[in-house]
Amino acid sequence: MSNKTIVSTRVDDELLAMIDQIAAAQDRSRAWIVNKLLETAARKEIEFMEFIQVGLDDIAAGRTMPHEEMIGRLRSRWAQRKAA
């Protein structure tokens, strides 16, 4: 059995209505729905943070190029695709 911790928050009426609508549609409790929504949001946020870290690591390692150079490369690719 896993340990559970109670977390409380204040929500407005609109958000509460949405949570209740989801809970009713899935025949689940409000607490179950809030837990699943929070877990999903937390996982997505962690994924985003990891994505950003890849970019920061690239910057730190010097794996970057000037904006103008990147635009030039993109324009070249677009021109090649148009020609094909």
Side-chain angles (χ1 to χ4, degrees):
M1 178 185 268
S2 65
N3 291 337
K4 301 282 182 168
T5 300
I6 295 173
V7 176
S8 64
T9 186
R10 297 182 196 284
V11 298
D12 62 26
D13 292 340
E14 182 180 2
L15 180 55
L16 184 60
M18 288 190 284
I19 293 166
D20 286 343
Q21 181 180 357
I22 296 166
Q26 296 185 16
D27 195 29
R28 297 286 190 166
S29 69
R30 185 185 284 167
W32 192 92
I33 295 298
V34 169
N35 183 67
K36 289 301 173 187
L37 292 172
L38 188 56
E39 179 183 359
T40 299
R43 287 185 191 283
K44 286 182 180 181
E45 187 65 24
I46 293 294
E47 287 174 9
F48 182 69
M49 290 168 47
E50 290 169 349
F51 174 75
I52 295 297
Q53 189 60 52
V54 169
L56 294 173
D57 292 346
D58 283 343
I59 291 168
R63 294 184 296 261
T64 63
M65 71 176 63
H67 176 75
E68 296 77 18
E69 183 179 341
M70 188 65 212
I71 294 300
R73 287 184 180 198
L74 290 173
R75 286 187 176 142
S76 176
R77 283 188 187 179
W78 292 330
Q80 290 173 1
R81 287 187 183 195
K82 274 186 162 181

